[in-house]
Amino acid sequence: MNPKQITRIRPLTLADIDAIMQIQSACYPASLLEDAAHLAAKHQQSPASCWVAVHQDEVFAYLLTHPWASDTPPDLNTPLPPAIPNSFIHYIHDLAVHPKAQGLGLARQLLDAALSWSKQQPFTHIRLVAIAGAEPFWLKQGFTPISPLNEKIIRKLSSYGPNTHYLEVSLK
Ligand SMILES: CC(C)(COP(=O)(O)OP(=O)(O)OC[C@H]1O[C@@H](n2cnc3c(N)ncnc32)[C@H](O)[C@@H]1OP(=O)(O)O)[C@@H](O)C(=O)NCCC(=O)NCCS
């Protein structure tokens, strides 16, 4: 993929789930892979806050986000509880760019879409779990570690693998 070629950011649809599964497999170890049904359900919970980066009809990257109303991150590969109306967090569930398209600014473009959406909602923070190795990327995007962490959060983070970090950016 040539960095000068135009990539479009558009809303993710259920028809993109197969492409997303392929990107997921190319980006993560088997222990972190989520079922298609769970990814689709997360999209269904908040379709307005999920996007893909597309070049010539091929999906190269995706961003799944949803409102969230708890200080503790959601479970991985598990259905979300029903949406709560006054959620205060815009939760980034997953951002992944196919290895052949990394370093071209696609993640940044997807995050810009998320930030624009966030600003129209009553959220106080954007939060996420950075998996092992991804923390430097998120720190560069302006996220900072959430502190202190209670035992429940620490246990939840460890279910995302070793060396995970709970990060946020304030929208105030
Ligand atoms: C992390 C990831 C999403 C970055 O995607 P990308 O499209 O390559 O990132 P971009 O090209 O938009 O880079 C945006 C900026 O972040 C920087 N950056 C990218 N990857 C980085 C990394 N691993 N560490 C630190 N900075 C990084 C870029 O240099 C760029 O900086 P600039 O704005 O000063 O030029 C991608 O590498 C990926 O999908 N990794 C595997 C899945 C993953 O770990 N996802 C995060 C789960 S928490």
Side-chain angles (χ1 to χ4, degrees), residues 101-157:
Q102 289 178 4
L104 304 179
L106 299 192
R108 190 60 250 173
Q109 287 183 60
L110 286 163
L111 286 174
D112 285 346
L115 197 57
S116 297
W117 185 78
S118 249
K119 285 177 176 164
Q120 298 163 28
Q121 313 295 325
F123 301 128
T124 60
H125 292 84
I126 306 178
R127 287 185 178 170
L128 61 93
V129 173
I131 60 155
E135 192 198 18
F137 166 78
W138 292 110
L139 296 181
K140 191 158 192 188
Q141 308 312 314
F143 285 77
T144 55
I146 297 173
S147 176
L149 301 178
N150 63 36
E151 280 304 314
K152 197 173 168 195
I153 295 174
I154 291 168
R155 267 200 310 278
K156 192 60 63 83
L157 291 183

Side-chain angles (χ1 to χ4, degrees), residues 16-72:
D16 297 316
I17 295 295
D18 284 349
I20 283 170
M21 291 297 286
Q22 285 177 29
I23 297 168
Q24 184 189 218
S25 299
C27 285
Y28 295 114
S31 58
L32 292 180
L33 297 182
E34 293 192 286
D35 299 342
H38 290 141
L39 291 177
K42 279 181 173 134
H43 165 259
Q44 293 289 72
Q45 184 128 340
S46 182
S49 64
C50 300
W51 298 268
V52 286
V54 177
H55 174 67
Q56 292 178 343
D57 289 336
E58 186 177 351
V59 176
F60 284 94
Y62 64 89
L63 173 60
L64 282 162
T65 80
H66 57 79
W68 188 241
S70 166
D71 276 325
T72 306

